Amino acid sequence: MVIFLLAQLEPGPVLDFAETLEREGDSRQAAAEFYRFWTYWPSDSLAPYALFRAGINYARAGEFPIALRVFSEYTEEGLPRSEYALLEMARIRLLTREPGADTLISTLDSILPTETSLMRAWAALTQDDPSSARAILLRAGEDSLAQLLEGFPEGPTPLLAGCLSVLVPGAGQVYYAHPSDAFMAFIFSVGMAGISYYYFKAERQTPALITGGLAGFFWLGGAYGAYVGARARRHEKREGYLLEIRPLIFKDPYNRDFFR
């Protein structure tokens, strides 16, 4: 409460408090305090910095519509280095898969070529195209990042997993390391096939056909399940990898000196 009262009287404590919240990971509250500074002291030399950090922290907090409005306000006010506000708007639209990212990236191509190349590389990675991402980074002179992408996880191949389970029930699940699903797929498919064979041998056509149909259903269902499971496992591995390299592609150089 004391800090809050001081913050109402002097600009310095407001900005210091906002930066403290940001360092502590309280992005939502930090954004509010940065915006408070901008609202109360728009003529201060650090006001552009505060407004920009408000947008960054709203985006970190997942408040993407608010972040877009803040960056839009930044450009409308004609504040220093407004092209970077457009860059952050493009990044938000790219990360949230909202329309408009491509238009903004094209607009910034000649102004911020390296940054737009990084975003194009990210877009290629999210489309499971690491080779295109590496080519983009190499053209942009980002050799170290391009080399880092050599570790892009391939993960299990969904089509291969499905084909394996067509050949042998549960084989696809074994392929992407899910033995419990493999066991269930094998038991239901082979079990029903065995029961169907028993009924055919006993010349009981109706139950033989029913259980045979169920065997086929479980067999093909297991193959489809292997396909979906492998795709989910690959997506999980790649999402983890993208989360690790995201800070290297979406850098945050926006300190106080950046806006001076």
Side-chain angles (χ1 to χ4, degrees), residues 156-231:
T157 304
L159 184 59
L160 177 58
C163 290
L164 287 172
S165 281
V166 168
L167 295 173
V168 179
Q173 286 83 351
V174 171
Y175 163 64
Y176 68 84
H178 215 297
S180 60
D181 283 356
F183 176 77
M184 296 300 293
F186 184 84
I187 288 296
F188 278 104
S189 300
V190 176
M192 281 297 173
I195 294 171
S196 178
Y197 176 76
Y198 167 79
Y199 282 130
F200 271 118
K201 291 288 287 182
E203 297 184 352
R204 299 177 60 184
Q205 297 299 316
T206 299
L209 290 173
I210 291 173
T211 52
L214 287 173
F217 173 79
F218 288 125
W219 202 304
L220 294 178
Y224 177 72
Y227 174 86
V228 172
R231 187 174 60 182

Side-chain angles (χ1 to χ4, degrees), residues 100-170:
D102 290 340
T103 302
L104 286 170
I105 291 172
S106 297
T107 301
L108 294 166
D109 253 336
S110 60
I111 307 171
L112 301 171
T114 300
E115 288 80 357
T116 53
S117 293
L118 289 172
M119 282 196 288
R120 286 196 169 94
W122 177 267
L125 287 175
T126 58
Q127 294 167 6
D128 292 339
D129 190 0
S131 60
S132 293
R134 281 195 295 269
I136 293 168
L137 291 172
L138 288 171
R139 286 196 299 270
E142 295 285 342
D143 295 0
S144 58
L145 271 177
Q147 186 175 4
L148 183 63
L149 293 188
E150 293 177 3
F152 188 79
E154 292 298 329
T157 304
L159 184 59
L160 177 58
C163 290
L164 287 172
S165 281
V166 168
L167 295 173
V168 179

Side-chain angles (χ1 to χ4, degrees), residues 219-241:
W219 202 304
L220 294 178
Y224 177 72
Y227 174 86
V228 172
R231 187 174 60 182
R233 180 61 58 89
R234 184 177 66 176
H235 178 75
E236 180 183 340
K237 292 182 70 173
R238 291 183 175 182
E239 283 294 305
Y241 179 81

Side-chain angles (χ1 to χ4, degrees), residues 2-137:
V2 174
I3 294 176
F4 178 78
L5 291 174
L6 288 173
Q8 302 304 305
L9 301 174
E10 299 292 337
V14 174
L15 201 56
D16 292 341
F17 184 42
E19 291 173 330
T20 298
L21 290 169
E22 184 178 45
R23 286 192 298 271
E24 292 174 350
D26 190 352
S27 299
R28 181 64 180 77
Q29 190 59 39
E33 293 301 324
F34 278 122
Y35 198 82
R36 183 196 305 277
F37 185 97
W38 159 255
T39 302
Y40 289 173
W41 300 283
S43 299
D44 192 279
S45 62
L46 288 172
Y49 163 74
L51 182 59
F52 206 97
R53 294 310 307 176
I56 292 290
N57 280 278
Y58 275 124
R60 285 180 180 173
E63 301 280 357
F64 298 115
I66 301 177
L68 287 171
R69 287 201 298 271
V70 170
F71 287 124
S72 179
E73 181 177 0
Y74 192 99
T75 60
E76 289 168 2
E77 291 290 334
L79 296 173
R81 313 193 80 168
S82 293
E83 67 273 19
Y84 284 91
L86 293 176
L87 177 69
E88 291 305 314
M89 292 170 70
R91 286 175 172 175
I92 290 171
R93 293 187 181 281
L94 184 63
L95 289 170
T96 58
R97 302 180 188 275
E98 289 187 19
D102 290 340
T103 302
L104 286 170
I105 291 172
S106 297
T107 301
L108 294 166
D109 253 336
S110 60
I111 307 171
L112 301 171
T114 300
E115 288 80 357
T116 53
S117 293
L118 289 172
M119 282 196 288
R120 286 196 169 94
W122 177 267
L125 287 175
T126 58
Q127 294 167 6
D128 292 339
D129 190 0
S131 60
S132 293
R134 281 195 295 269
I136 293 168
L137 291 172

